[in-house]
């Protein structure tokens, strides 16, 4: 490479260009390209000869170490795997440093744990530890940003290493400032290499950009074994840890915590959290028996359908996909002749949860109809089912688990798709209402209305 050759990198996708461009040709983002020094990439394991082997897993096992914070172990797929690298992203102040300090303190009872901070002073961290009641744990603390110094000082006898945060690290052999694509990539490579060769579990904190994705090129997410996002709403103490990628487990697990004075606390029965605010006898409220990963979770869907004074009525959703709302409104309009075109529609999933399952369609439709027609859906009813474009109600996965959970929480009426593989005899205490089309659903609502009178 010529000595004075200039290189430019896209901070979103890491694409490399010989000159500056306003828009990245790879990922299409604007204003993401900046000049940087060329990276000198090393191969991770640095061998010059490879030895091949078979696929037999004999003698190898995925050892898992549990932290004791059950919700955290759950999102990792049952505990931390030695040698794995976990990236945790989240909004500023959401509690990333707090949860990692708690996890590390828990691991430090039996393992050697090191916490390296590049953004807070030791004093700040000690004060936090004091508040969380963890001052007497065996966690070793240091403030450092030079990745080479970190790796040489941490030593191979360390079992758990937390880096807070990857964006503050720098590698002195590269001239660019911390947080640039090159620095991020080089530091991450070095730490991943360290984790794999010494079987240390490394947790990396990652900042997020205003779009809510981890700052830096997407390749950072490709490089690590597991990516978790820590989410929560302002003014709400509920925090959700979501798996986005996991090489050692399922990637649709959720961990639910409550942020308190003494740190994050497991919430063992999340359905109770999302249902406690259930108000009696108001139209528009319906319970949905959802699944988050392997765990059934009951949540409340609320909607408000009100007269609109706008030329194009408002449609607003919180916690759900707006395109699915458009679809359900269209199906309702065309199949049932109930009009929403002169109404504003607001839909919300209570408790700050985000739901992406199509299985929630039926609950949404029911809630919309309930608010539109001013019919109360009684408290003991919950529903599951996906709605197709022709108005048919389709069956959903894991029906039995959903029904079990609903029954356990006291729901005695369950509305579900006609084709579900549920045997009524297995749940003698529950009354099932099977619906095959959206027309059946409207007919059922008609019955409800008569019962109420
Ligand atoms: N005394 C307290 N009582 C209750 N909660 C507190 C208290 N002090 C801090 N917190 C909570 O801890 C949060 C800060 O946690 P933490 O520093 O772990 O976040 P972070 O994600 O690491 O932030 P950053 O991105 O700035 O590093 C605050 O937003 C607040 O919710
Ligand atoms: Mg922090
Ligand atoms: Zn790009």
């Amino acid at each position: 490479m010529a000595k004075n050759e200039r290189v430019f990198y896209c901070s979103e996708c890491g694409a490399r260009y010989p000159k500056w461009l306003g828009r990245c040709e790879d990922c299409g983002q604007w204003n993401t390209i900046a000049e940087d020094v060329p990276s000198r990439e090393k191969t991770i394991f640095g061998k010059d000869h490879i030895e091949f082997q078979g696929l037999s897993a004999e003698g190898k096992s995925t050892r898992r170490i549990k932290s004791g914070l059950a919700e955290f172990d759950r999102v990792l797929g049952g505990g931390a795997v030695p040698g794995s690298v976990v990236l945790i992203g989240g909004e500023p102040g959401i509690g990333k440093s707090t949860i990692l300090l708690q996890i590390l303190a828990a691991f430090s009872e039996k393992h050697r744990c090191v916490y390296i901070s590049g953004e807070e002073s030791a004093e700040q961290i000690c004060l936090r530890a004091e508040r969380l009641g963890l001052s007497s744990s065996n966690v070793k603390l240091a403030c450092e940003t030079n990745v080479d110094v970190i790796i040489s000082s941490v030593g191979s006898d360390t079992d758990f290493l937390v880096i807070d945060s990857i964006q503050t690290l720098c590698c002195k052999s590269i001239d660019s400032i911390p947080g640039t694509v090159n620095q991020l990539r080089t530091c991450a490579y070095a730490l991943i290499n360290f984790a794999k060769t010494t079987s240390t579990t490394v947790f990396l904190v990652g900042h997020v950009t205003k779009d809510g994705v981890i700052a830096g090129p997407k390749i950072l997410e490709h490089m690590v074994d597991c990516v978790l996002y820590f989410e929560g709403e302002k003014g709400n103490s509920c925090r959700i840890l979501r798996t986005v990628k996991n090489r050692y487990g399922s990637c649709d697990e959720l961990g639910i915590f409550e942020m308190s004075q003494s740190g994050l606390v497991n919430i063992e029965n999340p359905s109770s959290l999302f249902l406690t605010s259930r108000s009696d006898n108001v139209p528009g409220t319906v319970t949905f028996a959802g699944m988050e990963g392997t765990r059934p979770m009951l949540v409340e869907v609320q909607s408000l359908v009100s007269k609109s004074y706008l030329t194009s009525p408002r449609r607003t959703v919180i916690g759900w996909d707006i395109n699915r709302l458009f679809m359900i409104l269209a199906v309702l309009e065309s199949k049932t002749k109930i009009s929403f075109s002169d109404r504003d529609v607001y839909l919300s999933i209570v408790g700050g949860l985000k739901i992406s399952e199509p299985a929630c369609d039926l609950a949404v439709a029911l809630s919309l109809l309930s608010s539109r027609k001013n019919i109360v859906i009684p408290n003991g009813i919950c529903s599951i089912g996906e709605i197709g474009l022709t108005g048919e109600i389709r069956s959903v996965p894991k029906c039995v688990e959903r029904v079990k959970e609903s029954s356990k929480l006291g729901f005695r009426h369950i509305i579900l798709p006609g084709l579900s593989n549920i045997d009524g005899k297995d749940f003698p205490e529950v009354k099932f209402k099977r619906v095959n089309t959206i027309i059946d659903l409207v007919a059922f609502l008609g019955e409800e209305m008569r019962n109420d009178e």
Side-chain angles (χ1 to χ4, degrees):
M1 185 184 293
K3 215 168 180 191
N4 292 328
E5 192 185 332
R6 300 177 72 186
V7 283
F8 296 82
Y9 288 96
C10 168
S11 61
E12 285 287 324
C13 67
R16 180 179 154 146
Y17 297 95
K19 62 178 192 329
W20 188 83
L21 293 176
R23 182 168 187 253
C24 173
E25 286 169 1
D26 264 25
C27 68
Q29 293 288 321
W30 290 92
N31 272 333
T32 54
I33 295 179
E35 182 162 10
D36 207 337
V37 288
S39 56
R40 275 162 283 166
E41 276 155 30
K42 292 176 268 184
T43 51
I44 294 190
F45 299 103
K47 286 182 199 151
D48 45 18
H49 174 74
I50 25 177
E51 261 162 45
F52 296 97
Q53 60 169 61
L55 289 176
S56 152
E58 215 169 286
K60 307 181 179 72
S61 67
T62 321
R63 194 160 61 93
R64 295 211 181 248
I65 307 174
K66 288 200 188 314
S67 68
L69 201 63
E71 295 292 298
F72 191 82
D73 294 338
R74 166 199 294 280
V75 289
L76 288 181
V81 179
S84 64
V85 180
V86 181
L87 179 65
I88 301 187
E91 298 279 322
I94 198 80
K96 303 179 290 295
S97 309
T98 308
I99 193 166
L100 286 177
L101 195 61
Q102 281 182 266
I103 297 299
L104 217 53
F107 281 132
S108 73
E109 280 179 23
K110 292 202 189 116
H111 305 271
R112 193 181 131 90
C113 297
V114 175
Y115 186 103
I116 308 267
S117 178
E119 47 191 42
E120 286 174 294
S121 67
E123 194 183 359
Q124 275 175 301
I125 298 165
C126 291
L127 284 173
R128 175 178 302 127
E130 176 91 41
R131 172 165 60 83
L132 303 178
L134 306 173
S135 331
S136 55
S137 70
N138 296 320
V139 177
K140 300 275 173 282
L141 171 69
C143 298
E144 179 55 57
T145 55
N146 185 332
V147 74
D148 302 315
V149 175
I150 293 174
I151 288 175
S152 61
S153 326
V154 164
S156 57
D157 57 339
T158 303
D159 300 307
F160 292 93
L161 169 65
V162 167
I163 304 285
D164 190 358
S165 65
I166 182 78
Q167 275 88 359
T168 56
L169 292 196
C170 66
C171 174
K172 286 287 185 282
S173 61
I174 290 183
D175 299 334
S176 26
I177 54 165
T180 52
V181 177
N182 258 329
Q183 285 286 11
L184 278 176
R185 248 203 308 209
T186 316
C187 296
Y189 262 131
L191 288 165
I192 291 168
N193 191 14
F194 171 75
K196 302 289 170 208
T197 48
T198 60
S199 287
T200 306
T201 307
V202 178
F203 295 100
L204 304 174
V205 172
H207 292 168
V208 298
T209 60
K210 63 177 186 308
D211 309 326
V213 292
I214 291 177
K218 200 84 185 156
I219 44 170
L220 200 57
E221 294 191 23
H222 287 297
M223 286 160 76
V224 299
D225 297 310
C226 179
V227 179
L228 308 176
Y229 273 83
F230 206 28
E231 302 168 349
E233 276 179 31
K234 285 248 148 58
N236 188 338
S237 61
C238 172
R239 298 280 183 274
I240 295 169
L241 194 61
R242 187 186 295 277
T243 328
V244 178
K245 159 180 174 178
N246 193 352
R247 286 185 181 148
Y248 300 103
S250 144
C251 63
D252 44 14
E253 287 294 354
L254 277 192
I256 300 181
F257 305 91
E258 189 171 357
M259 176 64 101
S260 72
Q261 165 78 23
S262 52
L264 292 147
V265 189
N266 280 323
I267 292 185
E268 263 141 42
N269 185 359
S271 295
S272 66
L273 181 78
F274 300 113
L275 292 176
T276 40
S277 50
R278 182 87 156 96
S279 28
D280 287 310
N281 302 328
V282 259
T285 311
V286 175
T287 307
F288 162 56
M291 287 297 289
E292 286 293 349
T294 53
R295 166 166 61 173
M297 196 180 296
L298 271 71
V299 291
E300 192 177 319
V301 178
Q302 284 189 341
S303 59
L304 175 66
V305 179
S306 65
K307 178 126 187 57
S308 177
Y309 297 96
L310 303 165
T311 36
S312 57
R314 191 184 285 274
R315 269 88 178 96
T316 305
V317 287
I318 298 172
W320 211 50
D321 177 10
I322 193 150
N323 290 317
R324 281 205 90 83
L325 174 68
F326 292 151
M327 186 202 96
I328 288 175
L329 287 173
V331 172
L332 284 174
E333 290 232 354
S334 69
K335 301 293 167 198
T336 67
K337 305 291 174 284
I338 299 171
S339 170
F340 290 86
S341 58
D342 55 346
R343 310 281 164 146
D344 289 336
V345 175
Y346 303 88
L347 180 86
S348 154
I349 307 292
V350 176
L353 206 65
K354 286 196 187 69
I355 293 192
S356 52
E357 276 190 293
C360 187
D361 291 354
L362 193 67
V364 169
L366 206 54
S367 150
L368 292 170
L369 288 170
S370 153
S371 175
R372 172 72 177 79
K373 290 282 177 192
N374 213 17
I375 304 168
V376 173
I377 311 285
N379 248 344
I381 294 189
C382 86
S383 64
I384 10 175
E386 178 181 343
I387 297 179
L389 286 179
T390 59
E392 85 275 20
I393 313 286
R394 309 162 63 107
S395 56
V396 300
K398 300 191 177 139
C399 227
V400 179
E401 284 93 332
R402 298 173 199 261
V403 169
K404 265 190 201 149
E405 175 80 0
S406 319
S407 155
K408 202 170 89 192
L409 290 170
F411 287 83
R412 291 292 166 261
H413 287 85
I414 299 179
I415 309 175
L416 42 71
L419 290 176
S420 320
N421 56 344
I422 295 279
D423 188 352
K425 285 190 222 97
D426 297 341
F427 301 95
E429 72 287 6
V430 180
K431 266 201 211 150
F432 292 102
K433 171 72 194 171
R434 293 174 192 263
V435 284
N436 290 311
T437 63
I438 200 100
I439 316 258
D440 294 353
L441 189 70
V442 174
F444 164 78
L445 268 187
E447 282 166 35
E448 278 304 315
M449 195 155 47
R450 267 196 306 281
N451 291 347
D452 272 7
E453 277 160 7

